[in-house]
Amino acid sequence: MRPLQFGEILDGSFQTIRRNAASMFGSALIVQALGAVFIGIVTVGMFQLSMSFESVSTEAEFTEAMGPFLAIMAGTLGVSVLIGFLGSVLQGVLVVPVARSVLNRRTGFKQMWKLAGRKIWPLLGVALLLTLGGLLAATAVVGIAVLLFTAMGPGALLLVLPLGLGSVVAFVWIGLKVMLAPAAIVVERTGVYGGLLRSWQLTRNNWWRIFGITLVVAIMVGVIAQIVQIPASLAAAAIGEVVTPHPDAESVASTLVITTVISSAIGALVGSVTFAFQASVFALIYMDLRMRRDGLDVELMRLMETGADPDGVPGGPPAQAGNPAQPANPAQPGYPSATLQNPPTQPQAPMWPPNGGQFPSAPPSGPRPPA
């Protein structure tokens, strides 16, 4: 047990997914499938709406058709926000099998959700806070840009461009500073504020290292996803051409539904794998920072040697009596905190001299007690 290097983080992520495929891949697949269904519905709706625009001939008809179009665009934004929210929650849940895999402990689907469910409300709270915070920040930047263009015209570009770049830098910086909050909430059993504060502390003086790892992983995931999805998209288009060699409006609509279902299914499968991998990388970054700052590697070595708390999440707070999330006997060997709270009582030797330290006038009969 020691702090992890970049290659060890990548290898550990692959090994964790392989050992806990049902819990990690299954949970990510559920979220990605929900997102794929919503995206598929929006895609079909956009196609049908575009077909209706072809029959628009007057300004009144155009204005009437814009209503459903704006509704679909709002739905697309809502789907993106929902996927981001669920992703933040799932990131915290997937910390459980990653933390347990450090000790070579497997985690089933039910066990993972049972352990993470103890802090599900703080997880939902921090996910909602991060999602709304990002949404409000983006809305504020767009609003300021619109006001500047309205007031200054094209010349506002000189102000909007630096504003946009600065906003992106600030968003990335703050995002990396708080990205470990879900992990801290689940492992250390803190609240929303405690998780955000803990993430901010752990990433101090490590921002560039975390940024580099996150950037490389994002590029890897994006390249792999494109390598898999591009052939699948081409195959779906080829199927459409074979099914409807002479397309009309109805056949094009039916073909679009088929190709959308195929593309969505493949996208959900690929997305679940890449999301589980990224979540595993983030969780191992959290464990690595805990080792560097808190000496967590020493605690993990003790847990591996003693086999204590086999059904819990390693790295949590010290065991407390009466806490069902902790081992039943916190005073077992290897728990220094419990030893300090309940020091063992040693047999006391009789005081000598007796009588409160006053020597008697005559020595007592019998053997002298040990000093």
Side-chain angles (χ1 to χ4, degrees):
M1 296 292 176
R2 56 184 174 80
L4 306 175
Q5 302 299 322
F6 175 68
E8 293 170 328
I9 290 177
L10 296 183
D11 180 67
S13 300
F14 285 115
Q15 295 297 329
T16 300
I17 296 175
R18 184 180 62 85
R19 292 174 58 87
N20 304 278
S23 56
M24 300 188 68
F25 177 72
S27 299
L29 182 59
I30 293 174
V31 174
Q32 293 295 322
L34 289 175
V37 169
F38 289 129
I39 292 175
I41 294 174
V42 170
T43 301
V44 174
M46 287 291 292
F47 173 77
Q48 293 179 346
L49 188 61
S50 65
M51 296 295 292
S52 66
F53 271 110
E54 295 181 357
S55 60
V56 172
S57 58
T58 63
E59 184 177 353
E61 293 178 353
F62 178 80
T63 304
E64 183 180 356
M66 284 298 296
F69 177 78
L70 294 177
I72 291 178
M73 294 300 295
T76 304
L77 178 61
V79 170
S80 301
V81 172
L82 177 63
I83 293 176
F85 172 79
L86 295 177
S88 297
V89 176
L90 188 59
Q91 179 185 339
V93 175
L94 294 182
V95 171
V96 174
V98 176
R100 288 174 53 82
S101 69
V102 176
L103 300 180
N104 294 323
R105 297 174 179 176
R106 295 180 181 272
T107 307
F109 184 89
K110 182 179 179 180
Q111 184 183 18
M112 179 187 72
W113 282 98
K114 181 180 179 181
L115 292 173
R118 298 165 180 167
K119 302 301 295 184
I120 192 64
W121 290 112
L123 270 180
L124 293 173
V126 77
L128 181 63
L129 183 62
L130 294 177
T131 302
L132 290 180
L135 187 61
L136 291 176
T139 303
V141 172
V142 172
I144 293 173
V146 171
L147 291 176
L148 289 175
F149 275 113
T150 303
M152 302 176 58
L157 185 63
L158 297 176
L159 297 177
V160 172
L161 187 59
L163 175 65
L165 293 177
S167 301
V168 171
V169 171
F171 181 82
V172 172
W173 184 76
I174 296 176
L176 291 180
K177 293 289 289 184
V178 299
M179 79 172 189
L180 302 180
I185 288 174
V186 173
V187 176
E188 302 181 48
R189 294 189 282 279
T190 65
V192 174
Y193 175 77
L196 293 172
L197 180 62
R198 183 64 168 149
S199 177
W200 201 276
Q201 293 172 344
L202 288 174
T203 54
R204 184 178 301 162
N205 299 327
N206 286 281
W207 191 91
W208 285 107
R209 178 172 176 268
I210 298 172
F211 173 75
I213 295 175
T214 305
L215 180 62
V216 173
V217 170
I219 294 174
M220 291 173 54
V221 167
V223 171
I224 294 174
Q226 292 299 318
I227 291 175
V228 175
Q229 287 183 342
I230 288 177
S233 301
L234 295 176
I239 292 174
E241 292 180 359
V242 172
V243 173
T244 57
H246 304 288
D248 53 22
E250 294 182 359
S251 61
V252 168
S254 60
T255 303
L256 177 65
V257 172
I258 296 174
T259 55
T260 300
V261 170
I262 296 174
S263 300
S264 299
I266 296 175
L269 290 173
V270 175
S272 59
V273 174
T274 56
F275 182 86
F277 176 70
Q278 285 182 303
S280 181
V281 169
F282 294 159
L284 286 177
I285 289 175
Y286 166 78
M287 300 296 288
D288 172 66
L289 294 177
R290 288 284 308 275
M291 292 179 190
R292 296 174 185 271
R293 287 186 173 269
D294 303 339
L296 181 61
D297 49 338
V298 178
E299 175 70 9
L300 294 176
M301 291 179 63
R302 183 192 63 77
L303 289 175
M304 181 172 288
E305 293 173 356
T306 62
D309 196 16
D311 297 324
V313 182
Q320 299 292 334
N323 187 351
Q326 300 295 336
N329 181 19
Q332 58 183 298
Y335 279 82
S337 59
T339 304
L340 293 176
Q341 294 174 3
N342 301 298
T345 56
Q346 300 292 339
Q348 301 295 327
M351 180 180 291
W352 184 262
N355 300 325
Q358 300 294 327
F359 284 93
S361 56
S365 60
R368 177 174 175 173

